[in-house]
Amino acid sequence: QVQLVESGGGLVQAGGSLRLSCAASGSIFSIGAMGWYRQARGQQGDLVAAITSGGSSNYADSVKGRFTISRDNDKNTVYLQMNSLKPEDTAVYYCNAFIVAHSSWYGMDYWGKGTLVTVSS
């Protein structure tokens, strides 16, 4: 059973930093792109950052220069380093990964349950 588990969320003051982690576990054959999405209260979720299996990354304009996505393929883990946090960064952050499970011909997107990041003013 494949699952993604996020950690690292919490309460931080504006200007502070947090590092989110997301570890994939289960019967995994391979993992493609991984990413982070966030959903603010009453808002539609949107992409924060994504990273390919080869390490190429892209970011939402709102977080460029402040957030850094990285991954450790040996640990099946993706990270999001968040610096210079702003109140508008407050949201539930969800981990996403394209995973091919063992005994499967096809990959699919998996999602974590989310971790709450609250940035106070």
Side-chain angles (χ1 to χ4, degrees), residues 83-105:
N83 299 326
S84 302
L85 283 162
K86 304 174 181 179
E88 50 263 46
D89 294 319
T90 296
V92 177
Y93 285 70
Y94 297 92
C95 176
N96 167 260
F98 184 84
I99 298 175
V100 180
H102 280 294
S103 302
S104 176
W105 287 104

Side-chain angles (χ1 to χ4, degrees), residues 5-83:
V5 179
E6 303 100 334
S7 62
L11 175 65
V12 65
Q13 293 182 343
S17 298
L18 286 173
R19 189 181 77 147
L20 306 183
S21 299
C22 172
S25 63
S27 185
I28 297 171
F29 178 76
S30 64
I31 302 177
M34 307 181 80
W36 291 93
Y37 290 72
R38 68 186 182 187
Q39 185 173 35
R41 177 166 48 87
Q43 303 294 318
Q44 183 177 352
D46 55 17
L47 176 69
V48 177
I51 185 167
T52 68
S53 60
S56 298
S57 60
N58 65 294
Y59 301 88
D61 288 340
S62 60
V63 307
K64 286 182 179 178
R66 300 189 297 120
F67 291 9
T68 302
I69 189 170
S70 61
R71 65 190 288 168
D72 186 334
N73 291 331
D74 291 335
K75 297 181 178 179
N76 292 335
T77 300
V78 63
Y79 306 94
L80 186 68
Q81 178 66 46
M82 305 185 294
N83 299 326

